[in-house]
Amino acid sequence: MGFHSPATLSEALDLLAGSNATVLAGGTDFFPSLKQGAVPETLINIARLDELRGITKVEDVWRIGAAVRWSEIAKAGLPPFFDGLRLAAREVGSVQIQNAGTVGGNLCNASPAADGVPPLLALGASVELATADGTRTLPLERFIRGVRKTDRAEGEIVTAILIPDLPAGTRAHFLKLGSRKYLVISIAMVSTVVRADAAGRIEEARIAIGSCSAVALRIKGLEAAVTGMTLSDLRNNPRIWGEHLNVLHPISDIRGSAGFRADVAGELCRRSIMSCLLMEDAAGG
Amino acid sequence: MDRRLTKDHVRFRLNSRQVAVRPGPGERLSETLREALDQRDVKIGCNAGDCGACTVLVDGDPVCACLTATAQVEGQVVETLKGLVETEPLTKRLMESFQDLGAAQCGICTPGMMVSAVALLRINSTPSNSDIEDALGGVLCRCTGYRKIIEAVSRAGDGHIRPPVADGGVGSGIRRLDGERKVDGTENFGDDVAPPDALVLQLIRSPHARAGFEFGDLDAFVAEHEGVVAVLTAGDIPGSNRFGVIPDFVDQPVMAETEARFRGEAVAAVIGEPSAMRDFDQDTFPVEWHELPSVTSVTDARAEGAPQLHEDRADNIMCGGFVKTGDAAAALARADVRVEGNFRSGFVEHAYIEPEAGYAICRDGKVEIHACTQAPVMDLEAMEAILGQDRSHIRIVPTAAGGGFGSKLDLSVQPLIALGAIKTGRPVRIAYTRTESMQSTTKRHPSDIHLTIGATRDGRISGFKFDGDFNTGAYASWGPTVSNRVPVHASGPYRIDDYAARSTAIHTNCPPSGAFRGFGVPQSAIAQESLFDELAEKLGMDALEFRILNVLRDNTPTVCGQVFTQGVGIGACLEALRPAWQDEREAVSEFNRQAASEGSALRRGVGVAAGWYGCGNTSLPNPSTIKAGLRGDGTLVLHQGAMDIGQGANTVIAQIFAEAVGVPVHQIELLGGDTDITPDAGKTSASRQTFVSGNAARLSGQSMRRQILQLCNAKDTATLSLEEGRISVTSDEGTHTIDPSRLDRDDEGYVLTSVETWDPPTKPLDENGQGAPYAQFGYAAHLCVVEIDTALGTVVAKKFVAAHDVGRAINPMLVEGQVHGGIAQGLGMALMEEYIPGRTENLHDYLIPTFGDVPPIDTIIIEDPDEHGPYGAKGLGEHVLIPTAPAILNAIHSACGVRIRQVPATPSIVLAALKGKRDD
């Protein structure tokens, strides 16, 4: 019962074990979905747990604490292949939301329009979860299982997002389409991670699309199709995405029709990859 | 620190003091700050992080207090606007620049804006406009259009504060007289005034568009729920359970009796102690719903066998309007070119950042209602009927209104809290949640318009036939007004000799459509101004010159046969756009040439549109009364009953009064619209306050001046000055000094009073809508530059030039404020806003423009004085958004060649049009 702000992760996990408590971090998704008169009896505040804070690199893996806020990501000194994530961080809701909302919370909320998911998918991120008994790690693709559904079990807390280091010269980008400038829930969004050779030919591309299916998706077919291409190939191929986006299952809603989403997602991919190639030092890095 | 603090206490520093509170689990910081710590400078607009009004700084970072659990700020530093005013010098600079520029209108978003701006300026004293937009982008404003806020933050950063303008007479752009309390966090809005012991009222609302319902055992419900004090239903209403704003159409129940006619209609109220109501689960209320077949569109409502909403309104038709002159069919038949089209628009929500709120209390033999409103005396009259009580037992005390735009003309919380206070004998308060505000209050009418216009080869209009269906929702509200106004205005400000316009208001099981800035005219202007562009194109004429050729001038008849011999300033408005029309089209051509050569998908276009609006009621009496008094101590008091909902009536009416008396405006003390002390200045609606109440203020001021001059038999050319309780009257005959304390005082303590009424001269409309519906019109023309991403369908406005004939700008700064805000709302209507019951009932699904969506606006003020206006002034409030949406749609066509005939023109719709297919 009540509100708990445990001092350590293990204390938090002990409190959570076997309880019906709700885990609270930034609160930016928790409060808007709160029904009148239905505040959970027990809340465990993990927003300030040291174990969940900070961005570090251990050997070849970057570790972003689950309670790192979006504004911290936006301001962090990170290598260029994080630019997609940093751009996304600046587009999460508003400054107020970015100052409270956490990376881990964005994933646990599992909205099809979660801004953090496409860039983290494109980065090949994994999710680290802890229980009182230990930790496990699984790829982000397997962590988010559907609309508002994750693999997080009772008693588990997401503790970190793990991202493998990428070669120097890898660039990343993020594009979000909405009907207004700020406080936008995306109609479609794309994040790309691209590495090109000295001649500007794409050696590796990772493309993830959000808001166009129940869960944001990597588009492996399109990734393969653009490999070997140059900026001018992309410029000269206005519908480069071809049939590769058929894996998406966009819905029609108040923000846009299914057909519209499919149309713009491809164009956003093309532009996002081109933006990566146009970034300083993208080629041959 | 207090040693009795337990571990349940949360300790933090609030502004300059250390505080300890015991919040409930999951209690929001916004609630704790407002209710436990009396920090009511923190405003709540949405409780979902969508509006930013509750922005506070936690350890220096702006966050939404509504998304923060109080217990989460243990040990941290929380700063609110009131605290920053005391401790942070940057705040003082912002207070000055916000007031100088009119960056606060209603003021409800201002604390969020200022707190966010302080956080920015602390780390960046010379922010660029885009830095400012990024930093403040999380706070919504519905009044200002954001540009003045950007400028104010920029100016506060660079320290260029201009000195205040001194005299404040007519024509000077002085700061708002009520400006300081809007920027220092002390303004009291509807939810800021309830006493600490007030009970809280919540409403039980229909989850269905149409439903029958039955209550279970309500007495048992009250008995079983600790802290619940009472339940109200329709049976508790002592008078008539009906309210409405048009005498023949009083049809809306305070609470439904047997059947709810729209989703969100109230059927019962639960009143209890604040702690009990905080945890109250509405699902435990004993009501059983029986969903019934409903109609939610005009088409469904008109279908044969459709469920009927009101027994006495056959075929769901509430009423209609009609205006006819000449022979439209014959003129169309002989026209050289014709254009026609169907135009559609959806519900538009007012989306003021302050949800309806207030409290009621029984005191001194009266029930007092303290709430936000646009029409205190209309509230009083409606409450007389509902309570079955004479007005001497009812007192309406308006709070500041955090935006209105038409929807706060209707009753909302007032009868419920009054009934609650009477039933429980205790003060009772309510603040609507954002969702119930959106579900239950009025909307702009959705429209379905068919229009045909012809022209002869020489470019003259030849025949105009308009037919519009308007979805008026479940109850009448201002639907009859919209029906009347649309046929009168659908011509636009043009000479059209052969004209027929019909409007029909049709009931559906939707929220009542009512008054919203423009009363149906923005919808009809979209159709008319879009087709004018098409006509010009067919004729091979320049779109602006085609309009100028057909525009109304002095001495030409309107479609109602009304002839104004003076003051028709629309020609001047359109002509004022010529330079920008030339320059912007050249710039756009160059941009498009460049974009095409680079393979870019971006295209720009320029569009124009015009609009007009008759100020005041249509052919009905519409008086305002303004009272003033001189106290024995020499204070000149103005009873200012024209509700200021952000537009600036407190300032404009006082400026007019001061001008008429001949004293500086800052020497006048203002009293508000409390119905116990202030006479009826009518409703804040129909762009009538500057015009009608302004005239009453002018007369009242002139009367006061005359009375003062008579005291010493001075000539009318004498000058007055008020100093140290004395009045000096100076003329070429010398100076007289009057000591008011030596004069007799009346019951109110006044030694002189002046109460004057003014009613605009109008004449009734005959069966063909011929007559003199308004004593004056105001006029407007907008030019818009848009940029379209033709691969994504996104439309971004890049610039507006707005020319407005206001007759005489009483306060040019406030004129600009109205123009900016109107354009922002017109842009929202054009590009993003549509209220859909059950789907867009919050401010993240219902989108209004944010920072960055409203481009720079050049305002051109045209002053073609009106013979009836005070000092020549005309109304402005509605005019400012009428041309905006069609100007944008015409600019979209100019940019990419597609005609969009439905709003909002979302990216999905624009891209589908670009691809030449219907949006699926």
Side-chain angles (χ1 to χ4, degrees):
Chain A
M1 295 281 279
F3 190 98
H4 303 275
S5 284
T8 65
L9 175 62
S10 71
E11 204 183 310
L13 291 167
D14 287 343
L15 278 166
L16 187 59
S19 81
N20 63 350
T22 298
V23 176
L24 178 67
T28 56
D29 287 311
F30 170 79
F31 282 106
S33 59
L34 200 56
K35 195 170 151 272
Q36 155 65 31
V39 180
E41 281 188 0
T42 312
L43 284 164
I44 300 174
N45 173 29
I46 60 166
R48 286 198 273 168
L49 288 180
D50 283 342
E51 296 93 328
L52 273 56
R53 314 272 315 150
I55 303 174
T56 52
K57 187 182 172 196
V58 179
E59 292 175 354
D60 286 342
V61 177
W62 292 83
R63 178 190 173 89
I64 302 178
V68 168
R69 298 174 295 154
W70 286 110
S71 55
E72 296 174 77
I73 298 218
K75 288 175 205 152
L78 292 167
F81 67 83
F82 279 106
D83 283 358
L85 187 65
R86 285 156 48 108
L87 285 168
R90 293 172 55 92
E91 298 229 20
V92 174
S94 63
V95 165
Q96 288 84 341
I97 306 297
Q98 293 155 24
N99 280 332
T102 65
V103 185
N106 195 245
L107 302 185
C108 290
N109 190 49
S111 160
D115 295 307
V117 176
L120 288 170
L121 280 177
L123 286 169
S126 297
V127 179
E128 181 190 88
L129 298 109
T131 60
D133 300 327
T135 64
R136 65 175 177 136
T137 300
L138 77 167
L140 179 56
E141 283 95 330
R142 282 179 34 214
F143 176 71
I144 302 179
R145 293 169 48 168
V147 177
R148 311 276 171 196
K149 275 190 214 137
T150 70
D151 201 58
R152 188 169 72 92
E154 276 180 26
E156 271 188 319
I157 289 176
V158 171
T159 47
I161 289 84
L162 307 175
I163 294 159
D165 197 26
L166 289 171
T170 307
R171 295 292 184 270
H173 196 258
F174 175 81
L175 282 175
K176 174 173 172 177
L177 181 74
S179 290
R180 66 178 180 185
K181 178 95 182 273
Y182 295 99
L183 294 159
V184 165
I185 299 173
S186 66
I187 308 172
M189 60 183 157
V190 165
S191 189
T192 53
V193 174
V194 174
R195 196 177 70 255
D197 66 14
R201 207 166 287 281
I202 295 172
E203 288 184 328
E204 188 190 1
R206 299 188 198 156
I207 303 164
I209 299 179
S211 291
C212 291
S213 43
V215 180
L217 286 179
R218 281 276 292 274
I219 314 294
K220 300 272 171 84
L222 183 57
E223 291 176 0
V226 299
T227 303
M229 287 192 174
T230 63
L231 190 59
S232 65
D233 293 334
L234 288 158
R235 279 213 177 106
N236 297 330
N237 278 292
R239 290 187 71 85
I240 187 78
W241 52 93
E243 307 291 305
H244 296 300
L245 302 190
N246 292 353
V247 292
L248 299 173
H249 293 284
I251 57 160
S252 286
D253 66 9
I254 48 160
R255 288 186 268 276
S257 69
F260 172 76
R261 285 194 157 92
D263 280 341
V264 297
E267 175 65 10
L268 292 176
C269 290
R270 192 175 76 103
R271 289 186 188 181
S272 181
I273 298 166
M274 286 167 61
S275 295
C276 289
L277 293 174
L278 282 165
M279 284 175 183
E280 211 178 314
D281 291 330
Chain B
M1 181 133 310
D2 191 330
R3 287 179 190 192
R4 292 164 299 177
L5 295 184
T6 68
K7 77 178 185 56
D8 293 338
H9 277 89
V10 176
R11 281 151 279 222
F12 60 96
R13 205 177 99 200
L14 171 61
N15 298 321
S16 47
R17 62 190 168 127
Q18 201 65 32
V19 295
V21 288
R22 291 183 67 175
E27 184 173 312
R28 299 168 196 250
L29 180 59
S30 48
E31 185 187 345
T32 308
L33 290 173
R34 287 178 55 83
E35 301 305 325
L37 296 164
D38 200 29
Q39 208 71 47
R40 289 192 175 170
D41 52 319
V42 177
K43 306 302 178 189
I44 295 175
C46 70
N47 251 343
D50 300 326
C51 78
C54 67
T55 299
V56 298
L57 303 182
V58 174
D59 283 355
D61 291 335
V63 298
C64 291
C66 74
L67 300 183
T68 307
T70 305
Q72 284 183 301
V73 301
E74 164 81 37
Q76 293 187 298
V77 178
V78 176
E79 291 170 289
T80 73
L81 177 58
K82 269 192 191 168
L84 292 168
V85 167
E86 285 166 17
T87 59
E88 171 59 81
L90 285 169
T91 319
K92 290 277 189 212
R93 279 156 63 179
L94 285 163
M95 284 171 63
E96 301 299 316
S97 65
F98 266 59
Q99 290 185 80
D100 283 342
L101 288 157
Q105 287 191 20
C106 81
I108 189 77
C109 74
T110 309
M113 293 291 179
M114 303 246 314
V115 168
S116 301
V118 166
L120 169 67
L121 293 176
R122 277 176 174 172
I123 55 170
N124 180 358
S125 62
T126 54
S128 66
N129 283 2
S130 81
D131 293 336
I132 296 168
E133 291 181 357
D134 283 349
L136 274 64
V139 191
L140 295 179
C141 171
R142 192 58 157 168
C143 295
T144 66
Y146 302 106
R147 304 303 313 186
K148 297 292 182 189
I149 298 173
I150 296 170
E151 207 181 323
V153 176
S154 177
R155 209 184 266 192
D158 66 23
H160 288 145
I161 307 299
R162 72 174 185 194
V165 180
D167 84 323
V170 162
S172 64
I174 56 165
R175 292 174 168 192
R176 307 177 59 99
L177 299 178
D178 53 5
E180 184 152 319
R181 60 182 193 257
K182 308 250 180 218
V183 297
D184 70 5
T186 58
E187 182 70 291
N188 283 321
F189 295 91
D191 197 35
D192 299 335
V193 290
D197 63 335
L199 297 171
V200 172
L201 184 148
Q202 280 185 32
L203 289 156
I204 307 298
R205 296 182 179 278
S206 172
H208 305 293
R210 182 171 170 233
F213 57 91
E214 282 155 32
F215 296 124
D217 187 339
L218 297 177
D219 292 336
F221 165 79
V222 174
E224 284 161 13
H225 282 74
E226 198 188 326
V228 170
V229 175
V231 166
L232 298 174
T233 65
D236 290 294
I237 294 168
S240 165
N241 183 23
R242 289 290 179 275
F243 67 96
V245 290
I246 310 288
D248 290 341
F249 294 88
V250 175
D251 61 0
Q252 187 167 354
V254 174
M255 286 171 282
E257 288 151 14
T258 56
E259 182 181 307
R261 292 188 178 90
F262 69 94
R263 176 181 160 87
E265 181 164 12
V267 301
V270 180
I271 302 169
E273 301 292 344
S275 57
M277 297 312 291
R278 184 185 302 135
D279 298 332
F280 175 55
D281 178 355
Q282 294 215 342
D283 290 345
T284 63
F285 187 80
V287 59
E288 198 175 313
W289 300 101
H290 313 285
E291 191 175 359
L292 295 168
S294 61
V295 287
T296 53
S297 72
V298 158
T299 314
D300 291 349
R302 298 193 92 167
E304 209 176 315
Q308 299 294 298
L309 273 94
H310 299 277
E311 267 179 22
D312 54 345
R313 295 176 191 162
D315 303 324
N316 287 322
I317 293 176
M318 181 176 72
C319 63
F322 183 60
V323 170
K324 176 177 178 290
T325 186
D327 185 338
L332 282 168
R334 67 171 181 268
D336 295 313
V337 294
R338 277 172 295 276
V339 292
E340 68 179 306
N342 284 308
F343 294 84
R344 290 188 58 249
S345 69
F347 282 110
V348 186
E349 154 68 21
H350 301 72
Y352 25 72
I353 305 305
E354 180 206 28
E356 293 74 5
Y359 86 98
I361 186 169
C362 295
R363 186 153 57 187
D364 303 331
K366 294 187 180 198
V367 58
E368 286 176 18
I369 300 170
H370 301 250
C372 51
T373 179
Q374 291 179 237
V377 177
M378 284 178 65
D379 292 351
L380 179 68
E381 289 162 355
M383 289 307 306
E384 285 186 283
I386 291 164
L387 297 179
Q389 296 246 19
D390 180 78
R391 65 175 61 194
S392 61
H393 297 289
I394 306 163
R395 179 180 188 182
I396 307 290
V397 188
T399 64
F405 316 118
S407 195
K408 288 177 185 169
L409 289 165
D410 297 58
L411 288 184
S412 57
V413 300
Q414 293 89 346
L416 297 154
I417 50 180
L419 291 164
I422 291 167
K423 180 149 181 168
T424 63
R426 287 178 57 185
V428 171
R429 70 188 285 198
I430 185 174
Y432 279 0
T433 64
R434 173 56 55 184
T435 294
E436 63 183 341
S437 172
M438 294 182 76
Q439 284 182 342
S440 69
T441 64
T442 61
K443 303 282 168 282
R444 182 183 297 289
H445 285 70
S447 64
D448 199 336
I449 291 168
H450 187 83
L451 176 60
T452 310
I453 317 177
T456 48
R457 226 167 261 116
D458 61 357
R460 300 280 175 178
I461 301 296
S462 175
F464 187 111
K465 190 167 184 304
F466 176 101
D467 200 341
D469 283 348
F470 289 80
N471 179 345
T472 205
Y475 298 105
S477 180
W478 297 89
T481 309
V482 168
S483 296
N484 284 339
R485 275 197 178 261
V486 165
V488 170
H489 288 81
S491 61
Y494 302 99
R495 175 170 187 159
I496 301 176
D497 294 332
D498 298 287
Y499 176 86
R502 183 184 302 279
S503 64
T504 311
I506 296 153
H507 281 301
T508 62
N509 293 106
C510 290
S513 298
F516 190 167
R517 222 171 188 173
F519 283 91
V521 183
Q523 294 95 307
S524 68
I526 287 174
Q528 174 262 316
E529 286 290 326
S530 295
L531 287 188
F532 265 42
D533 253 31
E534 292 190 36
L535 267 182
E537 196 181 358
K538 270 199 163 179
L539 289 162
M541 289 181 71
D542 176 275
L544 179 61
E545 296 307 323
F546 170 72
R547 287 176 169 85
I548 291 172
L549 179 68
N550 284 287
V551 83
L552 281 174
R553 304 273 178 185
D554 289 350
N555 302 306
T556 54
T558 71
V559 290
C560 295
Q562 191 172 13
V563 178
F564 290 93
T565 58
Q566 51 72 51
V568 182
I570 184 59
C573 290
L574 285 163
E575 285 153 12
L577 296 182
R578 273 180 179 144
W581 179 239
Q582 175 85 16
D583 295 349
E584 296 301 336
R585 282 185 306 160
E586 278 170 19
V588 155
S589 306
E590 180 51 33
F591 179 91
N592 290 343
R593 233 187 334 269
Q594 189 79 20
S597 75
E598 286 169 1
S600 159
L602 300 180
R603 293 292 182 275
R604 288 187 180 178
V606 192
V608 289
W612 67 332
Y613 190 84
C615 304
N617 283 352
T618 310
S619 294
L620 287 171
N622 194 201
S624 277
T625 301
I626 293 283
K627 168 177 166 177
L630 180 69
R631 288 204 194 112
D633 65 1
T635 313
L636 194 49
V637 181
L638 179 64
H639 293 248
Q640 204 300 87
M643 279 309 301
D644 194 318
I645 56 173
Q647 87 283 28
N650 281 339
T651 308
V652 164
I653 300 300
Q655 281 183 270
I656 292 171
F657 175 78
E659 177 86 22
V661 178
V663 296
V665 71
H666 296 99
Q667 292 194 319
I668 290 166
E669 184 178 311
L670 287 186
L671 294 179
D674 179 340
T675 55
D676 266 15
I677 59 168
T678 295
D680 185 9
K683 60 200 191 291
T684 291
S685 165
S687 300
R688 62 176 292 287
Q689 291 298 22
T690 297
F691 172 40
V692 182
S693 297
N695 263 322
R698 177 181 56 87
L699 293 173
S700 174
Q702 287 169 346
S703 162
M704 179 59 70
R705 177 181 173 81
R706 255 193 321 274
Q707 294 180 56
I708 293 169
L709 295 178
Q710 274 166 10
L711 290 174
C712 54
N713 283 323
K715 287 194 287 193
D716 192 46
T717 51
T719 55
L720 300 186
S721 69
L722 302 173
E723 264 159 47
E724 292 167 2
R726 309 278 170 113
I727 307 172
S728 300
V729 181
T730 306
S731 67
D732 47 16
E733 293 164 354
T735 297
H736 292 273
T737 301
I738 299 164
D739 180 356
S741 68
R742 301 169 71 111
L743 301 172
D744 291 341
R745 298 173 195 206
D746 67 10
D747 294 346
E748 287 176 283
Y750 291 137
V751 297
L752 298 175
T753 55
S754 59
V755 183
E756 296 292 333
T757 298
W758 194 79
D759 193 12
T762 60
K763 286 183 195 143
L765 297 176
D766 68 15
E767 72 278 8
N768 285 321
Q770 299 298 295
Y774 307 106
Q776 72 166 210
F777 281 83
Y779 305 91
H782 290 177
L783 175 147
C784 175
V785 181
V786 300
E787 181 175 289
I788 300 182
D789 188 322
T790 55
L792 301 176
T794 48
V795 178
V796 176
K798 304 300 287 184
K799 179 181 186 175
F800 281 94
V801 182
H804 283 265
D805 171 26
V806 299
R808 176 84 190 272
I810 305 293
N811 183 321
M813 182 185 77
L814 294 174
V815 167
E816 275 198 39
Q818 286 296 287
V819 172
H820 284 212
I823 284 177
Q825 289 183 355
L827 181 146
M829 179 188 179
L831 297 179
M832 62 186 79
E833 299 187 27
E834 183 168 14
Y835 177 76
I836 304 169
R839 296 175 75 184
T840 57
E841 296 174 339
N842 56 57
L843 291 177
H844 54 265
D845 291 321
Y846 186 89
L847 303 181
I848 66 170
T850 59
F851 274 96
D853 295 312
V854 185
I857 298 165
D858 288 348
T859 305
I860 302 172
I861 297 178
I862 307 283
E863 296 184 302
D864 187 350
D866 180 74
E867 63 179 347
H868 296 303
Y871 302 100
K874 299 170 184 172
L876 175 69
E878 337 268 325
H879 312 72
V880 289
L881 78 61
I882 291 168
T884 309
I888 291 171
L889 296 179
N890 288 338
I892 291 174
H893 177 262
S894 149
C896 63
V898 301
R899 290 273 174 209
I900 307 289
R901 288 178 168 179
Q902 73 181 93
V903 291
T906 59
S908 195
I909 282 166
V910 173
L911 192 65
L914 278 162
K915 294 175 72 179
K917 67 171 196 192
R918 214 181 68 81
D919 190 44
D920 53 356

